[in-house]
Amino acid sequence: MSQRLSGVLMHVTSLPNKWGKGDFGPEAYKFVDWLDKTKQSLWQILPLTFPDETGSPYTSLSANAICSDYVSPEKLKEQGYLSDDDWYYLSEHAYNVKEESFRMAYNNWKESKNKNDFETFCKKHEYWLEDAALFMTIHEYFQNTWYDFPVGLRDRHDISLEKWKMNQADAVLQFKFEQFILFSQWTELKQYANDKGIRVIGDIPIFISGDSSDVWAHRDLFKLDEKGYPLVWTGVPPDVFTTTGQLWAQPHYNWQRMKEENYEWWYQRTLVGNIHADILRIDHFRGFCAAYEVEYGAATAEVGEWVDGPRSDVFRVLHERIPVLDIIAEDLGVITPDVTALRQEFNYPGMKILQFAFNSGPGNDFLPDNYDTNDRFVVYTGTHDNDTVRGWYEKATNEEKQFLANYFECNAETVAWKMTEMSLYSSAEWAVTPVQDLFGLDGTARMNLPGTIIDNWIWQLDTFEPSNELTQKFTKLTEESGRAK
């Protein structure tokens, strides 16, 4: 991937969909076709895993399982899991089409004779799939965190687990079947993009929710007390996003124990990550050098301490065991020299955000003028954690707008496109533009506001119909900036 490329950040849930959230169906294929038409090479998404109760895919119930909301009823019919009568019922009478389509597909599949592909899938993913299937079915049944499961299930007593497998065999099997379908639908969609010369950039959050199948099944790999509760929470101190820091309420790893197991959990997680995406953006990369720990139960992240991580050890193991592994290091925030050294040791691209380029003087590291041409970077107008460019501009200080005027003339309606031009013409190796900025949308289209839990992760397009003018303009920019595939 060492060439000038460009692409678009569009999470799957943000695609239009008549059944609810965006999924792996027709609108996703339509979007890929548009990327191909505009000569893009990259499609960036957010984690595909189950989100938490706030909708965040960065605190998932499983590090590997794909959220069932992504299922495409249309693809289920195309794959032969739904009959014409099933489809008529779904289209005319079903209240929750995705849930009903999955249930009907599962019942139809149970009656079929050929289950070889399913069995192969289960064997390939046995490290995490069995634990996830048990955890998710127990979680759904009791509608509680695993800390409140009945003691035998909470503490994974063999007798209790075997009894659950026997009594809830159908629910456990259905979860595995759903994962089989979701992985197959996504693999087909990703292959469709790959065949057009488009690679998918995925996202691996560095930490995992305490209420997850991973922590429930691997307590020794996390800093927990004897009951399984976190000893510390992770987060970041106050920064440009929030004045009280970000408190993620996720447990920290027991890195020494992980090292003793040769980082098997990280290896397995990365194997699945390589199915979810072609290139993995590791969120909060600096956490591998040092992570910020806050006392369990703290109200904010203002008081905490940095604790050393495994540094290069874990990445050496991953590259030794996984022949093809492309990584982008999310190196935003307070970055110490050792983090940059770790990134450069493995030749991972870092990240540059244009919205951060105008809040200080001409020496700002995010200004394209200051990019080190001997280093690797992906430049963004903004990310899922930023406001849209238009929303940012409308809130920008007079000083920021005056500094911006040194580079180009703009107003609220034109600033997003001007910054898109700036990113693609920069010396950064890759340039990725959020779809909101391509359309010049205001702050109501923002995906996430860090430090808050209300109204995030819900933005979705009603329709994806780029005008001919935008299509031609984006194609021309991609070609003239030397980024056309």
Side-chain angles (χ1 to χ4, degrees), residues 9 44 332 351-356 379-389 419 423 432-437:
L9 169 57
Q44 183 161 338
L332 305 176
M351 290 176 57
K352 298 293 185 183
I353 310 300
L354 287 187
Q355 288 185 32
F356 298 160
V379 61
Y380 299 81
T381 53
T383 73
H384 62 276
D385 281 334
N386 294 105
D387 204 340
T388 66
V389 165
M419 297 237 321
S423 68
V432 177
T433 307
V435 71
Q436 295 98 315
D437 292 340

Side-chain angles (χ1 to χ4, degrees), residues 86-328:
D86 293 335
W87 190 252
Y88 173 77
Y89 169 80
L90 288 167
S91 303
E92 299 296 326
H93 303 292
Y95 174 70
N96 186 326
V97 171
K98 290 189 178 185
E99 186 176 310
E100 281 290 294
S101 67
F102 240 158
R103 181 187 60 79
M104 296 171 79
Y106 170 66
N107 289 331
N108 292 338
W109 170 79
K110 280 198 300 183
E111 297 175 3
S112 66
K113 295 180 179 180
N114 186 0
K115 294 182 173 59
N116 291 339
D117 289 346
F118 170 76
E119 291 168 359
T120 299
F121 171 81
C122 291
K123 185 174 182 180
K124 179 178 180 180
H125 294 281
E126 62 183 347
Y127 178 85
W128 64 269
L129 183 59
E130 182 71 17
D131 289 327
L134 293 173
F135 176 86
M136 294 297 285
T137 53
I138 300 170
H139 206 277
E140 175 68 20
Y141 185 89
F142 290 104
Q143 292 289 301
N144 247 325
T145 68
W146 71 264
Y147 305 104
D148 295 312
F149 289 176
V151 174
L153 295 174
R154 183 194 69 193
D155 295 335
R156 295 176 58 87
H157 296 164
D158 289 343
I159 294 177
S160 297
L161 291 179
E162 288 304 317
K163 184 177 180 181
W164 184 266
K165 291 178 186 178
M166 181 177 64
N167 293 340
Q168 300 293 328
D170 194 60
V172 171
L173 181 62
Q174 181 170 344
F175 179 86
K176 292 179 180 179
F177 168 76
E178 289 177 356
Q179 288 302 303
F180 167 65
I181 292 298
L182 289 160
F183 272 74
S184 67
Q185 287 193 358
W186 172 246
T187 299
E188 184 178 336
L189 173 58
K190 187 163 76 69
Q191 188 60 54
Y192 182 79
N194 292 165
D195 289 344
K196 292 179 178 293
I198 298 163
R199 296 183 74 188
V200 176
I201 301 175
D203 208 319
I204 289 188
I206 184 172
F207 299 120
I208 188 73
S209 172
D211 185 30
S212 65
S213 61
D214 303 83
V215 177
W216 175 68
H218 302 280
R219 289 197 204 182
D220 61 321
L221 300 181
F222 300 85
K223 292 185 176 181
L224 310 175
D225 66 17
E226 65 279 1
K227 293 183 179 180
Y229 287 96
L231 293 169
V232 293
W233 276 341
T234 53
V236 292
D239 58 15
V240 296
F241 288 117
T242 172
T243 57
T244 60
Q246 297 179 49
L247 188 60
W248 297 331
Q250 296 165 311
H252 197 190
Y253 299 114
N254 181 343
W255 284 116
Q256 180 57 39
R257 184 73 186 101
M258 285 193 158
K259 183 176 183 178
E260 292 168 2
E261 291 192 356
N262 200 30
Y263 302 104
E264 182 69 16
W265 184 85
W266 270 100
Y267 165 67
Q268 295 288 345
R269 185 186 190 188
T270 308
L271 279 180
V272 177
N274 256 1
I275 297 173
H276 287 195
D278 303 298
I279 306 160
L280 301 177
R281 189 197 85 119
I282 297 185
D283 190 58
H284 198 62
F285 180 78
R286 72 147 302 146
F288 289 97
C289 286
Y292 190 69
E293 291 185 350
V294 179
E295 182 180 356
Y296 174 66
T300 72
E302 293 172 274
V303 179
E305 63 176 339
W306 292 97
V307 177
D308 285 346
R311 302 182 188 274
S312 59
D313 279 2
V314 62
F315 295 106
R316 289 198 189 101
V317 170
L318 295 179
H319 283 287
E320 286 170 2
R321 300 183 68 182
I322 303 175
V324 179
L325 181 57
D326 288 322
I327 287 174
I328 294 171

Side-chain angles (χ1 to χ4, degrees), residues 19-39:
W19 312 121
K21 295 179 180 179
D23 59 32
F24 300 153
E27 290 290 343
Y29 285 81
K30 179 181 173 182
F31 175 69
V32 170
D33 288 340
W34 186 77
L35 291 178
D36 180 45
K37 186 175 183 179
T38 56
K39 304 192 175 180

Side-chain angles (χ1 to χ4, degrees), residues 348-375:
Y348 299 154
M351 290 176 57
K352 298 293 185 183
I353 310 300
L354 287 187
Q355 288 185 32
F356 298 160
F358 306 99
N359 58 11
S360 60
N364 189 308
D365 288 341
F366 291 99
L367 278 171
D369 293 349
N370 299 324
Y371 295 172
D372 182 353
T373 55
N374 294 316
D375 204 348

Side-chain angles (χ1 to χ4, degrees), residues 358-360 391-405:
F358 306 99
N359 58 11
S360 60
W392 164 81
Y393 182 83
E394 290 173 344
K395 300 180 186 73
T397 65
N398 289 333
E399 290 77 14
E400 287 175 316
K401 290 179 179 178
Q402 288 170 4
F403 192 38
L404 186 65

